[in-house]
Amino acid sequence: MTDLLPGNPLRTVVEVVRRGADLVRGVVGRTDHPPLPTVEHVDVARYAGRWYELARLPVLFQPDASVAIAEYGLRDNGTVSVRNTACRGTDPERSIDGSATPAAGAEESNARLRVRFGGVARLVPTPVEGNYWVMRLAPDYSAALVGTPDRSSLWLLGRRPSDWGTPVVEEYLAWAEEQGFDLDPLLVADWSARTTRPYRPAA
């Protein structure tokens, strides 16, 4: 499967185009956020492998009630293979494949990547500056905080689904909030039920 958004295909295309327009406006017109820091360097070979989504801001191609696994691998041509698999309860898993290359100016650091997917996701423009910024990374590559400079996307990743609740998680989320990310809509992965819960439940 190449489309993680269920429902009417026409609605999917419309939503993709709308989201693409929002991304373009965010990149071109962004003036209300300071520069977003990234790590100095990402060793892609160490970064490769399986990551479990621990928390994220809502994203277009994934139902809010699902959780995701991201798998990265090195290709012979120097690009990075990407496979995102969405899981929700007892529903069948659904995957989308893509590739990643360093963004302009990040060829040495690999801290900013341009990630592209197939299917209708190809309609979403990929900013030259990258749409996958590695902002924090544990020294042992056990946890990572990834986002976009417009603060609309945020992913907290761990090597194990049980990594939620560790000190580094709270540290990374506090840092993200300091950088201007709105954590009110954040979704926390519940891997035991393969679904999500609100990070900050409504009063």
Side-chain angles (χ1 to χ4, degrees):
M1 300 294 292
T2 56
D3 178 12
L4 298 187
L5 185 66
N8 190 313
L10 178 59
R11 172 177 169 266
T12 297
V13 173
V14 171
E15 286 297 307
V16 168
V17 173
R18 179 191 63 77
R19 177 60 175 160
D22 289 344
L23 286 173
V24 171
R25 283 193 294 269
V27 171
V28 173
R30 184 177 61 251
T31 58
D32 55 344
H33 293 299
L36 184 63
T38 65
V39 296
E40 292 185 1
H41 182 260
V42 176
D43 183 334
V44 179
R46 294 184 66 192
Y47 197 85
R50 173 172 289 200
W51 292 89
Y52 290 89
E53 182 181 83
L54 302 180
R56 74 171 190 277
L57 290 176
V59 292
L60 174 64
F61 291 105
Q62 188 178 345
D64 286 352
S66 68
V67 292
I69 297 169
E71 295 175 280
Y72 306 108
L74 293 177
R75 291 175 171 153
D76 292 340
N77 63 2
T79 64
V80 177
S81 64
V82 181
R83 167 165 285 192
N84 285 354
T85 301
C87 315
R88 178 170 56 182
T90 58
D91 292 350
E93 296 181 352
R94 306 178 70 186
S95 298
I96 184 170
D97 294 311
S99 62
T101 55
E107 293 84 357
E108 297 296 327
S109 71
N110 294 312
R112 293 185 289 108
L113 302 175
R114 299 183 71 191
V115 180
R116 300 179 180 88
F117 290 102
V120 295
R122 290 177 297 180
L123 297 173
V124 178
T126 306
V128 174
E129 63 187 14
N131 57 354
Y132 188 105
W133 290 39
V134 183
M135 303 176 296
R136 302 293 299 272
L137 184 60
D140 61 356
Y141 283 63
S142 62
L145 185 69
V146 178
T148 54
D150 62 359
R151 276 61 168 182
S152 67
S153 298
L154 182 71
W155 297 272
L156 179 59
L157 307 175
R159 293 295 191 178
R160 302 175 302 175
S162 59
D163 284 340
W164 177 260
T166 59
V168 70
V169 165
E170 293 304 321
E171 175 190 340
Y172 283 7
L173 290 180
W175 183 91
E177 199 158 34
E178 291 173 358
Q179 298 301 318
F181 286 90
D182 180 9
L183 300 189
D184 286 345
L186 192 74
L187 301 172
V188 176
D190 179 356
W191 279 99
S192 62
R194 304 211 317 175
T195 189
T196 62
R197 61 177 175 79
Y199 177 57
R200 291 173 176 163

